[in-house]
Amino acid sequence: MLRACFGLLSSLNRQMSICVALAFCLLPAACGSAAGAPYTTERVTWTNGDVRLAGTLYLPESGAKVPAAILLHGSGQMGRLTNAGNRVLYNHAEWLASHGVAVLFYDKRGVGESTGEFRQAGFDVLAGDAGGGLALLRAHPRIDPARIGTVGVSQGAWIATQLVERGEALAFHVLVSGGAPVTPAEQEVFVQANQLRRAGLADADVADALATLQIAFAAYRADTDAAWQALDASRAKLSQRPWWAKTPLPVAARTDGWWRWYRSFMDYDPRPTLAKTAAPIFAAYGDADPLFDIAKMRGEWDTLRAAGVDVTLRVYPGVGHGLRK
């Protein structure tokens, strides 16, 4: 498998080779941690409106014009130095840079050295942050602007499709445990159902919980007195169940602040954009990922492939979200 990675990286003049090589190398089990050519790092900054983004550019030492990837964060507090999940992204950046691919890894707004607040930012705002990073890559004298793509992890897959909608010219997409090609609301239904089943709930209880979740979605969308009253009644009834104290359903009250932010992207459907995406896509999942219905994801990608989208799908055994054990 290590030999396969080097073979793919040696043919970087073809965009699909870049895409597949990047994807293989995201799996330490596939490519190992063998040292490659040396690389250097540059501290970089850019702005999106009044927000300042800070990042690190990993540059191969050899090669006049190298391909490049921008790492797109998952949800939550994601930066260069904040948690174990970011260490995984750091390993991706280090490995790829040592094998000929420049990588831009930056602190999400409101994390590390970046200003702003990600908890109030929708997908469009986060894509705007990433767009500034892409502009920086295109202007760099060592980077080939025709060979720049994305590596989107989890929520980062939705940000990648938003970049396409913004008109960014991208050469490839590697989507690791990515939410695309479903909506955040669709994914949330599976996440909650899976969590409740793993907690030992009967099918009837799971069905009732999912019905309440749909009522919550309707309340977020409509924001009417009637919709919120329906949710309050459904939640009050459900909270009498014995399992509620240990596994309550995460639905908002009208006085909560977060549901308006969630409403801004919960129904974002990436499928129309993916159907028009010309760049090759490598989608990678772990079959032990508790956040995705792998069978559904296979079906969605198969539908897009049948429509002419250049998709390579891999499901790796025994690994979970982010392709981690």
Side-chain angles (χ1 to χ4, degrees), residues 31-322:
C31 291
S33 57
Y39 64 88
T40 60
T41 61
E42 295 180 7
R43 295 174 68 86
V44 295
T45 61
W46 68 94
T47 59
N48 181 22
D50 59 354
V51 170
R52 175 182 177 273
L53 288 305
T56 302
L57 177 60
Y58 295 76
L59 272 172
E61 283 197 353
S62 61
K65 288 286 189 177
V66 297
I70 184 170
L71 297 183
L72 302 176
H73 312 95
S75 61
Q77 188 173 346
M78 299 291 285
R80 290 168 293 172
L81 300 171
T82 52
N83 61 34
N86 296 330
R87 179 68 193 183
V88 173
L89 293 179
Y90 167 79
N91 289 339
H92 296 343
E94 187 178 52
W95 202 99
L96 291 167
S98 68
H99 291 83
V101 181
V103 179
L104 177 57
F105 182 22
Y106 65 98
D107 294 335
K108 182 185 287 190
R109 59 168 52 210
V111 179
E113 296 179 359
S114 293
T115 64
E117 176 53 74
F118 71 86
R119 294 175 184 86
Q120 300 171 4
F123 290 170
D124 56 338
V125 174
L126 297 177
D129 294 345
L134 289 171
L136 184 149
L137 290 176
R138 292 191 183 102
H140 197 283
R142 288 283 320 286
I143 291 173
D144 181 352
R147 294 191 292 165
I148 298 173
T150 68
V151 177
V153 179
S154 192
Q155 186 187 87
W158 285 309
I159 307 306
T161 60
Q162 287 268 314
L163 289 170
V164 175
E165 290 184 13
R166 285 168 52 93
E168 300 283 358
L170 296 162
F172 58 84
H173 300 285
V174 176
L175 308 181
V176 181
S177 302
V182 297
T183 70
E186 287 177 272
Q187 185 196 7
E188 184 66 14
V189 169
F190 176 79
V191 169
Q192 296 306 322
N194 192 37
Q195 179 175 313
L196 293 171
R197 291 190 180 102
R198 287 159 68 100
L201 270 67
D203 288 346
D205 284 325
V206 173
D208 289 344
L210 295 185
T212 299
L213 184 60
Q214 293 294 347
I215 293 170
F217 289 165
Y220 307 160
R221 294 179 185 116
D223 189 22
T224 62
D225 292 343
W228 285 104
Q229 288 166 6
L231 176 57
D232 290 343
S234 184
R235 179 171 47 194
K237 183 178 179 181
L238 207 60
S239 67
Q240 301 305 309
R241 305 286 178 88
W243 52 266
W244 179 268
K246 290 185 177 180
T247 54
L249 197 65
V251 297
R254 197 175 196 177
T255 54
D256 292 332
W258 63 263
W259 65 266
R260 290 184 176 85
W261 165 75
Y262 181 68
R263 180 179 63 181
S264 73
F265 58 80
M266 61 179 279
D267 291 321
Y268 172 63
D269 190 345
R271 282 166 285 216
T273 298
L274 288 168
K276 298 181 290 186
T277 300
I281 298 170
F282 190 105
Y285 298 90
D287 69 356
D289 192 335
L291 303 185
F292 291 107
D293 181 341
I294 299 301
K296 178 176 176 57
M297 301 308 280
R298 283 186 186 275
E300 295 287 353
W301 285 118
D302 285 346
T303 298
L304 287 164
R305 187 185 296 111
V309 180
D310 187 352
V311 178
T312 298
L313 173 65
R314 293 288 184 269
V315 178
Y316 295 95
V319 293
H321 199 62

